[in-house]
């Protein structure tokens, strides 16, 4: 059972899903899909409300940037990486592997 479908994802527009008690931020960039923890590691902000540039997501609250490919915190005030999750795409089905 998939978590969402590819056509629910607009390019560069993050979407939050809930799975196994976790909030996950899912983003399609080109034909790749990335999944990271939705909660910023700096404080309690939802990253799916942030902006995407290239492979980066910027937290709307204080502006920390993270690399969606590996979860790394790229700019202050965040210093801790985000958890990342593997994504399986099968046709139109997208499954986040937790
Ligand atoms: S809560 Fe994200 S940068 Fe502060």
């Amino acid at each position: 059972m998939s978590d969402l479908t590819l056509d629910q994802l607009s390019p560069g527009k993050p979407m939050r899903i809930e799975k196994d008690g976790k909030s996950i931020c899912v983003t399609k960039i080109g034909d790749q899909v990335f999944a990271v923890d939705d909660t910023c590691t700096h404080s309690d902000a939802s990253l799916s409300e942030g902006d995407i540039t290239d492979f980066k997501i910027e937290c709307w609250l204080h502006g920390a940037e993270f690399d969606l490919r590996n979860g790394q915190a790229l700019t202050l005030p965040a210093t801790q990486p985000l958890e990342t999750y593997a994504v399986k795409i099968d046709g139109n089905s997208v499954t986040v592997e937790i």
Side-chain angles (χ1 to χ4, degrees):
M1 169 99 172
S2 66
D3 297 313
L4 66 165
T5 58
L6 260 189
D7 50 21
Q8 285 178 285
L9 291 167
S10 306
K13 177 112 181 48
M15 183 171 166
R16 182 169 77 190
I17 65 163
E18 307 292 329
K19 182 167 184 178
D20 294 356
K22 292 175 185 279
S23 295
I24 315 271
C25 173
V26 183
T27 311
K28 179 163 89 173
I29 299 173
D31 54 8
Q32 292 178 279
V33 176
F34 300 95
V36 297
D37 267 341
D38 187 61
T39 305
C40 183
T41 60
H42 176 240
S43 190
D44 192 16
S46 173
L47 288 173
S48 53
E49 293 168 38
D51 290 322
I52 302 289
T53 309
D54 301 326
F55 290 97
K56 291 182 294 193
I57 189 162
E58 180 181 341
C59 179
W60 59 272
L61 193 50
H62 309 111
E65 293 178 316
F66 298 89
D67 191 322
L68 290 169
R69 296 168 293 187
N70 54 25
Q72 281 219 311
L74 301 171
T75 57
L76 294 172
T79 55
Q80 298 301 310
L82 294 167
E83 187 81 36
T84 59
Y85 303 94
V87 175
K88 209 168 108 197
I89 301 174
D90 182 10
N92 195 33
S93 300
V94 179
T95 305
V96 177
E97 299 184 332
I98 292 186

